[in-house]
């Protein structure tokens, strides 16, 4: 029951792979369940950047309805390194808010016996480290060679509910700490445009009844990196 009614839902961590001042990165990702994530980032110097992320899910099914929205912003540091400056380290921190409403229906022999409504807002803070590489390997599809990039992001999120209600009755608010490792692969279609597959997990460090690690990250999407300037030698 706690997994089905989990209030917390992780988004796709922002992995902009920034390299120079003035570069803009944007990505759109969607899961098979219809969870949509939009990530944006801007490098305002050769090493400092700001990000804004938001997402939404509105799913109605026979046993469960889910309506979830979140918004977060942050900033951090990035650096390229390696023989050809094609490896990237990024460190970000930020905060955000989310709203979650879930309707869970319980059936017995196809007969509805009860309905539970979980309604809560929560706030979050996060710190995140990304490692990625623009060094490409090759994959051949339909006679065409495409480059592949790889990367990983490790996020630590601190979440706390507020105004949590179950069936309209106020509940004790909960908090939790989540470790959220994700791994991504990008297929290079051009220097600016890539397709991305993201997979990851969600680990709650505290034993909570509702604010727990009930969801993982599995999405497909597209990312663009435009602008920027040649790095000075």
């Amino acid at each position: 029951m706690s997994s089905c009614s989990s209030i917390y839902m992780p988004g796709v961590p922002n992995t902009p792979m920034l390299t120079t001042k003035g570069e803009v990165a944007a990505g759109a990702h969607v899961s098979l369940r219809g969870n949509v994530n939009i990530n944006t980032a801007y490098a305002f110097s050769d090493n400092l950047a700001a990000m804004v992320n938001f997402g939404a899910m509105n799913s109605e099914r026979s046993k469960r309805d889910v309506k979830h929205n979140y918004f977060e912003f942050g900033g951090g540091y990035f650096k390229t390194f390696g023989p050809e400056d094609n490896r990237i380290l990024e460190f970000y921190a930020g905060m955000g808010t989310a709203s979650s409403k879930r309707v869970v229906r319980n059936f017995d022999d196809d007969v509805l016996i009860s309905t539970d409504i979980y309604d809560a807002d929560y706030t979050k803070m996060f710190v995140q480290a990304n490692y990625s590489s623009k060094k490409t390997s090759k994959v051949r599809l339909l006679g065409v060679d495409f480059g592949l990039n790889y990367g990983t992001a490790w996020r630590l999120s601190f979440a706390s509910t507020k105004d949590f209600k179950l069936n309209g009755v106020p509940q004790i608010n909960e908090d939790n700490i989540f470790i959220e490792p994700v791994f991504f692969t990008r297929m290079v279609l051009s220097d600016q445009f890539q397709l991305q597959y993201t997979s990851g997990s969600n680990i709650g460090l505290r034993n909570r009844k509702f604010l727990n690690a009930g969801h993982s990250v599995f999405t497909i999407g597209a990312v663009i990196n435009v602008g920027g300037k040649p790095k000075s030698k």
Side-chain angles (χ1 to χ4, degrees):
M1 174 65 71
S2 63
S3 176
C4 292
S5 59
S6 176
I7 296 169
Y8 182 76
M9 180 178 291
V12 178
N14 199 333
T15 55
M17 296 177 66
L18 298 171
T19 58
T20 63
K21 179 180 178 179
E23 188 174 356
V24 176
H29 311 270
V30 62
S31 73
L32 294 177
R33 294 188 298 174
N35 185 14
V36 178
N37 296 257
I38 306 293
N39 296 335
T40 62
Y42 173 71
F44 54 86
S45 81
D46 281 333
N47 296 110
L48 299 177
M51 64 165 58
V52 175
N53 312 315
F54 55 94
M57 180 177 178
N58 194 349
S59 173
E60 296 182 357
R61 299 185 179 182
S62 60
K63 292 185 178 181
R64 188 189 319 162
D65 299 340
V66 177
K67 186 174 183 179
H68 186 274
N69 301 279
Y70 80 90
F71 171 83
E72 61 187 28
F73 63 93
Y77 173 87
F78 66 91
K79 180 178 178 60
T80 60
F81 66 100
E84 299 178 6
D85 257 2
N86 57 11
R87 293 169 176 80
I88 306 166
L89 276 176
E90 299 174 286
F91 300 95
Y92 297 104
M95 60 189 304
T97 62
S99 63
S100 177
K101 184 174 183 179
R102 302 175 188 279
V103 179
V104 180
R105 304 176 186 87
N106 302 300
F107 292 85
D108 185 8
D109 291 333
D110 296 326
V111 177
L112 179 65
I113 58 174
S114 66
T115 300
D116 293 315
I117 302 174
Y118 306 81
D119 195 352
D121 297 334
Y122 62 84
T123 59
K124 67 184 299 185
M125 296 183 293
F126 66 88
V127 292
Q128 178 182 326
N130 304 345
Y131 168 78
S132 54
S133 174
K134 289 193 173 183
K135 180 180 179 181
T136 58
S137 57
K138 297 291 185 180
V139 61
R140 190 170 183 83
L141 296 175
L142 302 176
V144 180
D145 289 330
F146 295 95
L148 294 179
N149 295 329
Y150 303 91
T152 183
W154 287 77
R155 172 180 278 207
L156 190 66
S157 294
F158 307 82
S160 301
T161 66
K162 58 180 182 179
D163 300 326
F164 175 35
K165 296 179 181 179
L166 173 57
N167 297 327
V169 179
Q171 304 292 308
I172 297 175
N173 286 308
E174 298 181 346
D175 60 10
N176 211 334
I177 302 172
F178 299 96
I179 299 175
E180 300 168 333
V182 301
F183 303 90
F184 63 90
T185 301
R186 291 185 176 180
M187 177 181 290
V188 181
L189 301 185
S190 72
D191 289 340
Q192 293 78 34
F193 185 72
Q194 303 176 50
L195 301 180
Q196 177 171 317
Y197 168 73
T198 307
S199 64
S201 58
N202 177 232
I203 304 165
L205 299 184
R206 294 174 176 171
N207 184 17
R208 296 292 186 255
K209 187 175 182 180
F210 302 107
L211 193 68
N212 53 44
H215 304 278
S216 298
V217 175
F218 295 98
T219 64
I220 56 174
V223 296
I224 60 171
N225 286 73
V226 295
K229 64 178 182 64
K231 297 190 72 173
S232 58
K233 301 296 184 182

